[in-house]
Amino acid sequence: KADVTSLPFQSMLRKQHYDKALEFLKSQTPSGVHLALEQIGPMASGDDLELQEGLKFFLHHLTQSHFADEVQAYLSLFLAAHGEEIAASKELQALCAELATAQENKWS
C-alpha cells in the first residue's frame, strides 16, 4: 500500500495549500496531471478527506477565477476519476453541489 501522504499533490491538498497545489498541477505534463488527480481518495489508498479537499481546491480556485481554463480541465478529469466515489457520499455530494452553484454563479 502506497504512502499517499508522501505524494506532493495529496500532501498539498491535506494541508489546504490550494495555490501551491494548482502551481504543482500546472507544472506537470498532461499525463502527470491525470496521475496526480487519480492518486487521491479511497481507490488510491487514501480516504474521502482527500476527495473533500480536492473539491474544496476546485471551489477555491473557481471562486477566485484562477486560471479558469486549466481549472475547468482539471475539474473534468477529477470528476471523471472520482464520480462514483462522490456519488456514494452525501458529504461529497453536498460539496459537489456547492461547487456547481459557484460555477453557475460565475457564468450568470
Side-chain angles (χ1 to χ4, degrees):
K1 195 170 180 175
D3 179 11
V4 294
T5 59
S6 66
L7 298 171
F9 186 66
Q10 293 76 359
S11 177
M12 291 174 211
L13 288 182
R14 285 184 172 276
K15 294 175 184 173
Q16 298 181 340
H17 293 165
Y18 300 142
D19 293 337
K20 287 183 181 180
L22 181 58
E23 288 174 27
F24 174 80
L25 289 179
K26 288 177 60 193
S27 73
Q28 300 301 300
T29 63
S31 61
V33 168
H34 198 267
L35 188 61
L37 292 172
E38 285 191 341
Q39 289 181 323
I40 61 174
M43 298 299 285
S45 302
D47 56 29
D48 277 355
L49 177 62
E50 289 177 350
L51 296 180
Q52 288 175 27
E53 291 304 330
L55 290 169
K56 290 176 185 178
F57 162 82
F58 288 110
L59 187 60
H60 169 78
H61 289 296
L62 188 70
T63 58
Q64 299 296 315
S65 299
H66 291 158
F67 301 95
D69 291 339
E70 290 95 334
V71 170
Q72 288 294 328
Y74 300 154
L75 177 58
S76 179
L77 290 171
F78 178 86
L79 292 174
H82 302 293
E84 288 183 25
E85 295 156 300
I86 292 169
S89 164
K90 295 282 187 214
E91 193 168 61
L92 294 175
Q93 285 178 25
L95 271 173
C96 205
E98 188 177 339
L99 184 60
T101 299
Q103 192 167 18
E104 288 170 14
N105 290 341
K106 278 291 175 188
W107 293 104
S108 59

